[in-house]
Amino acid sequence: LLGSQLPALPALQLPGAKVYPDQAKIDKQLDSGRLTGTRKESLAIIPTQAGELVLPEQRIPWWNIAENRQEVAILPERRLNILPAAGSVTDVGPSPQATQPNNATNQPAAQTSAVVGDHSHRYFWLAISLLGLLNLVLVGALWRARKHSAPTPVKRTAPPKNHEAECFKALQAAAKQNRSAPLRNALLEWARASFERPLSLTDLAREIPDIGSACQQLDNALYGNTAQVEGIDTNALITTLKRWRKTHAAPRAAASADLPPLYPSR
């Protein structure tokens, strides 16, 4: 799926705390034909009172492509004990007007402002710590969920010089099987080796119009879930490609062989 197709996490409502969600980060990656979408959400939690703060259980449904079934990733409930800030306003002594002369009333007011600023500072770092902990738990759960379904990375190696010829031999062998899926895959692999870039059957039909009908029929067989090759003259297909290779692939290879050396000798 694209990252924009992934559902958002449910809204979090916490009594005794303010929740400030950040904007979701959405991304996508394409590796070896496999599309991977990501959606990252983070939020800041700032407690507004002392006591127990409960982070409720989160359930994230996902589809296990390895076992072809739906599963649920669970972030368990967490309970945090929020302590009162040291030197809170409730701990301040009697009113300064009752114990101090009028010319000294500014000093307790300044102390009270400092206490309030200290509260905000403590809440800020507490919120940062809670946010980091929540992100670690979420990443760990998603990593464990994807560990069993993620494919093993394929090491890419440079194709050999005779890769196109080998792919064409494989295409000839697939044409004799009278099955649409092997023929389609072999044709796409040969096209990739011949044109040195990935091509769809529609792209290949534009490059070689003489096989356009066969390409369309192979696509129809794929989307129609037809296993057998129906209505495709495989012998004519191979003959047309042989003729095309003689008139296009051979001159291109000869031109590459006739290139002057990078450092000509005198």
Side-chain angles (χ1 to χ4, degrees):
L1 294 177
L2 296 172
S4 57
Q5 295 177 274
L6 298 177
L9 295 178
L12 186 62
Q13 301 293 336
L14 297 178
K18 294 182 178 180
V19 180
Y20 299 95
D22 294 335
Q23 185 175 3
K25 296 181 180 179
I26 299 175
D27 196 5
K28 65 178 180 180
Q29 295 180 351
L30 186 63
D31 184 14
S32 301
R34 179 183 294 273
L35 181 65
T36 301
T38 59
R39 178 187 180 96
K40 298 181 180 179
E41 296 187 23
S42 59
L43 50 86
I45 302 175
I46 300 181
T48 57
Q49 63 186 25
E52 187 179 54
L53 179 62
V54 180
L55 302 181
E57 177 185 89
Q58 298 291 327
R59 291 178 170 266
I60 305 175
W62 62 284
W63 187 262
N64 189 331
I65 61 175
E67 300 182 6
N68 195 28
R69 66 181 183 183
Q70 184 179 8
E71 297 187 8
V72 178
I74 301 177
L75 297 178
E77 176 187 278
R78 295 186 64 86
R79 295 179 177 269
L80 305 175
N81 185 23
I82 308 301
L83 300 177
S88 60
V89 177
T90 56
D91 295 336
V92 179
S95 173
Q97 286 81 0
T99 58
Q100 298 292 336
N102 293 335
N103 58 359
T105 55
N106 291 334
Q107 183 176 358
Q111 292 176 353
T112 303
S113 300
V115 170
V116 174
D118 181 66
H119 296 169
S120 301
H121 183 74
R122 292 176 182 271
Y123 288 152
F124 173 77
W125 288 111
L126 178 60
I128 293 296
S129 301
L130 291 176
L131 178 60
L133 179 61
L134 184 60
N135 283 339
L136 288 177
V137 173
L138 179 59
V139 170
L142 294 178
W143 179 82
R144 288 193 298 268
R146 295 186 58 184
K147 182 178 180 182
H148 301 290
S149 61
T152 303
V154 179
K155 296 183 179 179
R156 298 184 179 180
T157 58
K161 294 182 179 180
N162 59 345
H163 184 57
E164 187 274 339
E166 293 180 355
C167 289
F168 192 75
K169 291 181 180 179
L171 175 59
Q172 291 176 297
K176 298 178 181 179
Q177 298 180 17
N178 195 34
R179 298 185 64 83
S180 59
L183 179 59
R184 185 179 189 276
N185 294 335
L187 184 58
L188 289 175
E189 188 64 25
W190 171 82
R192 182 188 183 105
S194 181
F195 291 91
E196 298 181 349
R197 70 180 190 276
L199 293 178
S200 66
L201 289 182
T202 302
D203 298 332
L204 182 58
R206 295 193 190 101
E207 297 290 344
I208 311 177
D210 292 341
I211 65 170
S213 177
C215 291
Q216 183 177 2
Q217 289 173 336
L218 282 175
D219 264 342
N220 293 339
L222 172 67
Y223 297 115
N225 196 22
T226 303
Q228 301 295 326
V229 175
E230 297 180 358
I232 301 177
D233 189 347
T234 56
N235 292 329
L237 173 64
I238 297 300
T239 301
T240 301
L241 291 178
K242 286 181 178 180
R243 184 168 58 251
W244 184 90
R245 292 176 75 233
K246 289 181 180 180
T247 57
H248 293 78
R252 183 168 52 187
S256 301
D258 293 340
L259 290 176
L262 184 60
Y263 301 103
S265 59
R266 297 180 180 177

